[in-house]
Amino acid sequence: MVLAATNLTVGEVARRAGVPVSTLHFYEAQGLIESHRTSGNQRRYHRLVLRLIAIIKVAQRVGIPLAQIRDNIARLPSGHVRNAADWAALSSAWFTQLDHRIALLTRLRDQLDSCIGCGCLSLSDCPLRNPDDIAADIGTGAWAFPPSGDDPREDADPENYH
C-alpha cells in the first residue's frame, strides 16, 4: 500500500524514531518537524521525518540548542528531498560551535584537578572561570559567566547573567 509507505501515523513515527509521542508533538510545536492532517484530523508524517528526527536527536546529544537546530533546518533548501549535501551544510553550521565546546571541555578537563584543589578563591586568577581576568573588562560587581563558556565581554548586559 503506497500510503503506508510514505505517510506514517504519530505512533509509527514515535516507535521507529525511538521517542515518545509527546516529543513529536513538541518538535512539531517548535517548528522542527511537520505533519499534515487526514480528513479525520489525524496527524500523518512523511517517512523522511525519521531522518530529520535522528539528526535532531544527535544535535541535541552534542548540546546544540533546539532553537538553533530549528533555525539551521529552516535554512535548508525546501521543495526537494534533502540529500547528503543538505545534511553536510547543516553539520558545517555546527562545526565551529562544537570545536569551541570541545576546546572548552578539554581545558576544563586538563585544569580541573589543580582548580578544585587550589583554594585560591581568587576569581581574577582562575584560568577556568575568569581567563585573562575578563571579568575586569565588564565592570565591578559579581558576575556569573554564561554556561555556554562564551566570553562575557561580548554581551555585558547584567540581565543575561544570574
Side-chain angles (χ1 to χ4, degrees):
M1 179 174 174
V2 175
L3 182 64
T6 59
N7 291 288
L8 303 170
T9 67
V10 67
E12 289 170 324
V13 172
R15 181 180 47 75
R16 290 178 62 180
V19 298
V21 169
S22 59
T23 297
L24 298 178
H25 293 170
F26 178 75
Y27 284 174
E28 193 169 350
Q30 296 300 308
L32 292 160
I33 62 173
E34 295 178 353
S35 69
H36 63 276
R37 299 288 183 147
T38 66
S39 59
N41 202 30
Q42 296 175 331
R43 281 184 173 93
R44 292 292 185 265
Y45 297 89
H46 192 281
R47 64 182 172 79
L48 295 174
V49 77
L50 295 169
R51 180 179 301 246
L52 187 54
I53 292 168
I55 289 168
I56 292 166
K57 288 172 56 176
V58 167
Q60 283 184 287
R61 190 171 293 137
V62 298
I64 306 294
L66 279 177
Q68 186 177 358
I69 296 169
R70 179 190 60 238
D71 293 346
N72 291 126
I73 289 171
R75 289 187 191 109
L76 291 176
S78 59
H80 72 278
V81 175
R82 292 180 176 138
N83 56 33
D86 295 328
W87 301 128
L90 187 63
S91 67
S92 70
W94 297 324
F95 191 86
T96 301
Q97 180 181 355
L98 292 175
D99 268 353
H100 174 74
R101 183 169 294 144
I102 289 167
L104 181 67
L105 289 171
T106 300
R107 190 173 74 215
L108 175 62
R109 180 202 62 209
D110 293 347
Q111 296 175 353
L112 192 57
D113 284 346
S114 63
C115 181
I116 290 174
C118 80
C120 71
L121 300 176
S122 172
L123 188 58
S124 64
D125 290 336
C126 183
L128 293 174
R129 293 292 294 160
N130 188 19
D132 304 318
D133 196 17
I134 58 177
D137 293 345
I138 57 177
T140 60
W143 290 89
F145 298 142
S148 65
D150 292 339
D151 188 330
R153 292 174 292 195
E154 294 174 8
D155 182 13
D157 182 354
E159 294 297 317
N160 293 329
Y161 303 99
H162 309 290

